[in-house]
């Protein structure tokens, strides 16, 4: 007969302990997670840092995103789905961070409200100064959409899934945001590079 | 703003994402991009963002994956433990409320004696008053078993109340 170790588990009903062990299982094992993390952490950090304009916040939200992903009861359907889910968690965390008692939506935040307190950090990162100050002058929602579409290469449907916006409105929002950023970039005398 | 979409925007973005505009094999697409202001916007924005992505990702200082996995495991376990022990926490709170209510009822029941006893405490300041006599006076008319049960009840209340408070404080 198997004897039970003298732990707190002994004080709980048998069924609950079994259930708890099931609940305590993480989404991935250590090794799988290490690989997934290796492939996704830098893009996720870049997304968080660029959209929030705050590198320290990006560090915090990155860790929280992975912790929530691992603890989720989400049924992973391949790495692509996991990655999308991770970006969705990160997006929700960003929104929660920005949520104001009055304005709950990213749309309602004023331009430059989140303009990076550490924008100089990002300017240093842009060795070729392509984005320059233009990106921090965009609304957070615009930054989010542009980053997902053109930096991450996500489709409209994926962006809708990550941001929680309607798939049909993505095209229009993206068009406006892109037009605005292009105008701002041109004001900085930045033109498309036509090859080497 | 006049909304005019180009049907080849996505194609232009995809070509840029996969190979880079300069290397795109489709010369017809390149010619179109040169002519189309919308696709030119796509290329300009996509180039800037792709470059920023590379630079930003390079600048990231990330924690080790093992640390995050370990933290997630601890969080998950403590969450599961909390869910499993939630009924115990509820019973603890109920016990605390019951103890507080019992104490209030007892105080109401013995209010006359307690108030007399409190009043008698004021006489303690008098130099000729015996301390024991003063404390005993309000209980002199009460029968022995009531007094004994009162003392036992107060003791039990103090013990279990203290225990309940300790458990709640420790948990938090």
């Amino acid at each position: 007969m198997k004897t039970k170790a003298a732990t707190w588990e002994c004080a709980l009903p048998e069924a609950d302990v079994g259930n708890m062990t099931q609940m305590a299982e993480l989404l991935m094992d250590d090794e799988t997670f290490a690989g997934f993390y290796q492939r996704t952490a830098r893009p996720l950090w870049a997304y968080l840092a660029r959209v929030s304009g705050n590198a320290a916040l990006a560090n915090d939200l990155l860790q929280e995103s992975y912790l929530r992903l691992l603890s989720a009861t989400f049924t992973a359907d391949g790495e692509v789905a996991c990655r999308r889910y991770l970006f969705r968690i990160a997006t929700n965390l960003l929104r929660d961070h920005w949520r104001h008692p009055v304005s709950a939506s990213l749309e309602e935040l004023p331009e430059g409200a989140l303009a990076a307190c550490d924008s100089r950090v990002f300017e240093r990162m842009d060795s070729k100064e392509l984005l320059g100050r233009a990106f921090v002058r965009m609304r957070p929602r615009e930054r989010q959409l542009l980053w997902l579409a053109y930096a991450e290469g996500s489709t409209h449907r994926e962006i809708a899934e990550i941001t929680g916006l309607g798939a049909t409105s993505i095209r229009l929002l993206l068009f406006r945001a892109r037009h605005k950023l292009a105008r701002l970039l041109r004001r900085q005398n930045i033109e498309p590079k036509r090859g080497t | 703003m006049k909304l005019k979409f180009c049907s080849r925007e996505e194609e232009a973005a995809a070509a840029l994402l996969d190979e880079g505009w300069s290397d795109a094999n489709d010369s017809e697409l390149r010619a179109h991009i040169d002519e189309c202001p919308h696709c030119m916007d796509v290329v300009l924005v996509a180039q800037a963002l792709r470059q920023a992505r590379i630079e930003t990702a390079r600048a990231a200082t990330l924690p080790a994956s093992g640390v995050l996995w370990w933290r997630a495991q601890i969080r998950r376990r403590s969450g599961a433990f909390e869910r499993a022990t939630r009924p115990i926490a509820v019973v603890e709170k109920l016990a605390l409320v019951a103890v507080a209510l019992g104490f209030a009822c007892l105080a109401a029941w013995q209010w006359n004696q307690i108030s007399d006893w409190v009043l008698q405490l004021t006489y303690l300041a008098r130099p000729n008053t015996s301390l024991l006599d003063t404390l005993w006076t309000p209980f002199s008319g009460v029968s022995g078993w009531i007094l004994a049960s009162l003392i036992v009840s107060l003791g039990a209340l103090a013990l279990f109340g203290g225990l309940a408070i300790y458990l709640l404080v420790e948990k938090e």
Side-chain angles (χ1 to χ4, degrees), chain A residues 27 36 38 46-47 84-85 106 109 136 164-165 172 177 179:
Chain A
L27 188 68
F36 177 73
Q38 183 76 25
Y47 167 66
R84 208 179 305 144
Y85 190 61
L106 282 181
L109 288 168
V136 291
L165 292 169
L172 180 64
H179 186 75

Side-chain angles (χ1 to χ4, degrees), chain A residues 15-26 73, chain B residues 76 80 83:
Chain A
D16 281 350
V17 175
N19 193 23
M20 236 180 73
T21 314
Q22 248 183 0
M23 286 191 295
E25 278 172 15
L26 295 177
T73 48
Chain B
R76 189 93 165 113
R83 278 192 295 277

